[in-house]
Amino acid sequence: MTLPVPTPTKVICCGLNYGDHIAETGRDRPQYPTLFAKFADTLIGPTDDIVVPDDAQVDWEAELAVVVGRPIRHASRAEAEAAILGYTVANDISMRDWQRRTLQWFQGKAWDATTPVGPVVATPDEVDPAAGLTITCRVNGEEVQRDSTKTLVFDSADLLAYVSTFTVLRPGDLILTGTPGGVGMSRDPARWLTDGDVLETEIEGIGLLRNVIRTTRQNPPTEGDQP
């Protein structure tokens, strides 16, 4: 299946946006949205395989994604809300070992072809995240995340208005709103996705992503390596 939206000019993500995820990372509740960006090259379809290095610490992050429907700049909250075309499902697959290399998260978040999105865009008259949509993530059938979108610290309109103060948002742009608690890096011991794992990401009223993890050697073998 293909992406439900045209290739966006911007993919902007919010971290630390659910109370339980903030708590499990040991952070304080943020005063402003914690933002980072992806490239459009990171996006894949709702049933595509997720191909990652075999030596990476690959983590799951179920997320509600907002699809922008009209250009906005310096938008008020009301203007931002009116600019929402709809909502879709995403998983912000993260390479935690790369993410922790520096204080900036970007290099752990922007790997090509690792962020599934879809399967459809549900319009605001069909779903209302502020009223509470159940968001879940499963690995090989085991539920690892469950929360409600009504517990977001910064909701969709908040995020669009905030982002539009420093950059224009255009139709088709995506805003990923953050993940609930339950990610692999916060478990004891930490748990990472491995080859063959089936990752399911679902949001009530929108739909389901089902992606299989496939690992590949990051570097070609050298002399003396065992096959």
Side-chain angles (χ1 to χ4, degrees):
M1 296 178 66
T2 58
L3 289 169
V5 293
T7 303
T9 61
K10 295 184 176 74
V11 182
I12 298 176
C13 310
C14 183
L16 305 174
N17 203 23
Y18 284 87
D20 56 353
H21 182 51
I22 296 169
E24 73 180 358
T25 60
R27 307 290 187 97
D28 294 328
R29 187 181 177 96
Q31 182 179 0
Y32 305 107
T34 303
L35 300 178
F36 59 94
K38 291 178 177 281
F39 299 117
D41 293 324
T42 64
L43 305 180
I44 57 174
T47 59
D48 291 340
D49 289 350
I50 301 171
V51 181
V52 295
D54 62 0
D55 59 350
Q57 296 176 343
V58 185
D59 205 349
W60 57 82
E61 295 193 51
E63 305 208 9
L64 173 75
V66 186
V67 184
V68 179
R70 66 178 70 167
I72 53 171
R73 183 79 163 94
H74 302 295
S76 66
R77 178 182 166 84
E79 291 167 337
E81 191 167 25
I84 295 173
L85 174 67
Y87 305 93
T88 191
V89 186
N91 200 304
D92 175 28
I93 297 295
S94 299
M95 312 301 167
R96 298 299 191 190
D97 47 339
W98 281 73
Q99 181 180 341
R100 290 193 296 261
R101 288 185 174 192
T102 70
L103 294 177
Q104 300 300 318
W105 298 352
F106 173 70
Q107 60 197 346
K109 298 284 192 173
W111 287 67
D112 284 353
T114 57
T115 304
V117 175
V120 299
V121 176
T123 56
D125 62 324
E126 295 175 311
V127 295
D128 180 10
L133 305 175
T134 300
I135 177 170
T136 57
C137 182
R138 296 181 291 273
V139 178
N140 300 327
E142 175 192 351
E143 185 173 284
V144 291
Q145 290 182 290
R146 174 178 287 265
D147 210 325
S148 170
T149 56
K150 69 181 178 182
T151 67
L152 284 163
V153 177
F154 303 101
D155 69 11
S156 302
D158 290 333
L159 291 175
L160 264 66
Y162 185 78
V163 170
S164 78
T165 61
F166 62 84
T167 186
V168 62
L169 291 172
R170 296 184 172 89
D173 286 351
L174 288 177
I175 306 292
L176 275 62
T177 61
T179 196
V183 297
M185 72 171 182
S186 296
R187 295 170 180 264
D188 187 14
R191 177 177 173 183
W192 312 118
L193 293 167
T194 60
D195 189 66
D197 282 347
V198 178
L199 181 68
E200 293 179 310
T201 314
E202 187 169 14
I203 299 180
E204 176 187 5
I206 303 176
L208 173 73
L209 310 176
R210 188 181 189 276
N211 307 94
V212 178
I213 305 299
R214 301 296 185 194
T215 60
T216 183
R217 295 189 70 155
Q218 186 176 1
N219 298 308
T222 59
E223 184 177 352
D225 280 356
Q226 295 298 314

